[in-house]
Amino acid sequence: MIENKLVLKNINHAYGAKQSIDNFCLTIDPGEIVCLLGPSGAGKTTLLKLIAGFESPSSGEILIGNRILSGGKKNIPVEKRAVGMLFQDIALFPHLNVNANIGFALTSDKIGSQSKTVKKYLENINLLHIKDRYPHQISGGEQQRVALLRALAANPVAMLLDEPFSSLDVWTKFEVAQEVISFLKKSNTPTLMVTHDPQEAMRLSDRILVMIEGKVIDEGTPNKLYSNPATPFSARISGPSTIIKSKSNKGVLETAFGEINLSKVEENKLYKIFIRPEAFHFTYEKNKGTNIKIKNLTNLGGYCLVNITIKNKKLIENVFLPSSIISDLENNAKLLFNQDWAFVFPI
């Protein structure tokens, strides 16, 4: 497969009077996995349709390397774009077995060569034992793997994934998603994925674009979005946060956990604060930290969702604390607060 970048330049699109995509720009390198994350109606699936050729932009260009798929007067039809697609609705051919489903994408190969190619693909993800089975005879996870192989067998110049794992159960989703992403990286395919699941986006992608109303409001690596979100929405969507409000006073935001000093602040303005679990530690030193009592606790794995009282008075609900500090806090350790993990936005 030719190693080319997928490039979108100043893409605009509208459904009637409603703008669905607004001056959208994106470059995806070979082997890079980029995820679109955002609420329903943000324009994520519309963008995939534009790249695939099911919809046409009102302006802008879509390119693979130097080859224009759409732009100006040029609009290459869907079947000639060589763009692979994997959606939630798997749509394997029910009357064909696994071998024939994958081989369908290899119509130009001779029969002997086609058989060897299909065998190679199936061996790559340990599915050779199901080659003679039909779609109704294999699991949902196996169907999704076969659908991916069928898409990749045509040597696509780019791959589009639209909620491809949402129909799978939690454990199967995790396993299949890791396999799919690994396969796409090995094949050096530039990939654009749509999901509503923030954890899935953080786990699988190299880069995330947070979209609202056809625009990108934040983007970066999963680590960047988690540790330095640019907007309240991306702070909320990229990971667990304790959310509180505070009014500024002489450059300081007073919170129940401690002060937050701001370099630039409007006096007497209300701010919303997103505090990651990493902001909290514990101490047994007398002159440090805050006395708390844990009232309710839900263990969520690496962190816990708790209700707490501060100094036996103020109740604060829905606080995310690291699981590793809970036992110490229950044994009279005091809560320490690190403002570096608190993200502040004016209201």
Side-chain angles (χ1 to χ4, degrees), residues 41-94:
K44 305 183 302 296
T45 297
T46 297
L47 203 59
L48 296 192
K49 290 179 179 179
L50 293 172
I51 298 168
F54 297 122
E55 299 272 357
S56 298
S58 54
S59 63
E61 287 185 327
I62 301 172
L63 306 93
I64 293 288
N66 295 322
R67 178 177 174 237
I68 298 176
L69 302 183
S70 181
K73 295 181 179 180
K74 191 165 188 177
N75 191 38
I76 295 177
V78 175
E79 65 275 12
K80 294 184 179 180
R81 292 196 176 199
V83 173
M85 292 168 280
L86 186 61
F87 300 131
Q88 179 181 348
D89 298 325
I90 299 168
L92 293 175
F93 298 116

Side-chain angles (χ1 to χ4, degrees), residues 23-314:
N23 203 38
F24 189 95
C25 296
L26 174 64
T27 297
I28 305 178
D29 291 326
E32 184 182 18
I33 312 296
V34 174
C35 181
L36 301 177
L37 185 60
S40 297
K44 305 183 302 296
T45 297
T46 297
L47 203 59
L48 296 192
K49 290 179 179 179
L50 293 172
I51 298 168
F54 297 122
E55 299 272 357
S56 298
S58 54
S59 63
E61 287 185 327
I62 301 172
L63 306 93
I64 293 288
N66 295 322
R67 178 177 174 237
I68 298 176
L69 302 183
S70 181
K73 295 181 179 180
K74 191 165 188 177
N75 191 38
I76 295 177
V78 175
E79 65 275 12
K80 294 184 179 180
R81 292 196 176 199
V83 173
M85 292 168 280
L86 186 61
F87 300 131
Q88 179 181 348
D89 298 325
I90 299 168
L92 293 175
F93 298 116
H95 62 291
L96 299 179
N97 63 19
V98 167
N99 193 76
N101 258 287
I102 299 171
F104 186 84
L106 301 169
T107 53
S108 61
D109 286 11
K110 294 181 180 178
I111 293 177
S113 175
Q114 183 183 108
S115 179
K116 290 180 181 179
T117 302
V118 172
K119 181 181 178 182
K120 178 188 73 173
Y121 275 113
L122 288 169
E123 285 177 337
N124 277 338
I125 54 175
N126 300 314
L127 287 182
L128 189 59
H129 63 287
I130 66 166
K131 68 182 179 68
D132 295 320
R133 298 180 191 174
Y134 289 83
H136 71 277
Q137 296 174 317
I138 60 179
S139 70
E142 289 169 335
Q143 290 180 33
Q144 202 70 314
R145 291 176 175 97
V146 172
L148 171 72
L149 293 182
R150 186 178 66 181
L152 287 175
N155 288 323
V157 293
M159 181 65 74
L160 307 176
L161 309 179
D162 191 3
E163 297 280 356
F165 314 116
S166 60
S167 62
L168 304 177
D169 64 76
V170 173
W171 297 112
T172 304
K173 176 192 291 191
F174 184 87
E175 180 181 317
V176 172
Q178 292 295 138
E179 284 187 11
V180 166
I181 296 303
S182 176
F183 204 98
L184 288 167
K185 283 188 166 293
K186 287 178 182 177
S187 66
N188 233 15
T189 309
T191 300
L192 185 60
M193 178 173 72
V194 161
T195 181
H196 287 89
D197 184 344
Q199 290 187 348
E200 186 173 81
M202 299 288 279
R203 187 177 73 250
L204 299 178
S205 61
D206 299 306
R207 186 158 44 108
I208 299 171
L209 276 63
V210 181
M211 288 185 70
I212 292 180
E213 296 181 345
K215 295 180 179 180
V216 175
I217 63 166
D218 202 357
E219 69 173 292
T221 64
N223 182 61
K224 184 266 179 186
L225 284 185
Y226 186 82
S227 60
N228 191 26
T231 70
F233 184 82
S234 51
R236 181 189 291 272
I237 204 171
S238 57
S241 295
T242 302
I243 304 174
I244 59 176
K245 296 177 182 179
S246 179
K247 185 175 286 188
S248 58
N249 180 26
K250 296 180 180 179
V252 173
L253 295 179
E254 295 281 354
T255 80
F257 309 114
E259 292 183 348
I260 298 175
N261 294 289
L262 302 175
S263 56
K264 295 180 180 179
V265 61
E266 292 184 44
E267 198 63 19
N268 294 316
K269 186 172 181 62
L270 192 62
Y271 286 82
K272 182 176 283 189
I273 307 166
F274 295 79
I275 305 172
R276 296 290 194 218
E278 287 84 351
F280 298 112
H281 302 274
F282 70 89
T283 182
Y284 286 99
E285 296 183 41
K286 289 184 178 180
N287 298 323
K288 292 184 178 180
T290 303
N291 289 307
I292 72 163
K293 292 291 182 183
I294 295 175
K295 293 297 184 180
N296 302 92
L297 184 148
T298 303
N299 195 317
L300 301 174
Y303 51 87
C304 294
L305 180 63
V306 302
N307 294 341
I308 63 175
T309 56
I310 300 287
K311 299 176 181 178
N312 293 319
K313 294 180 180 180
K314 183 177 177 62

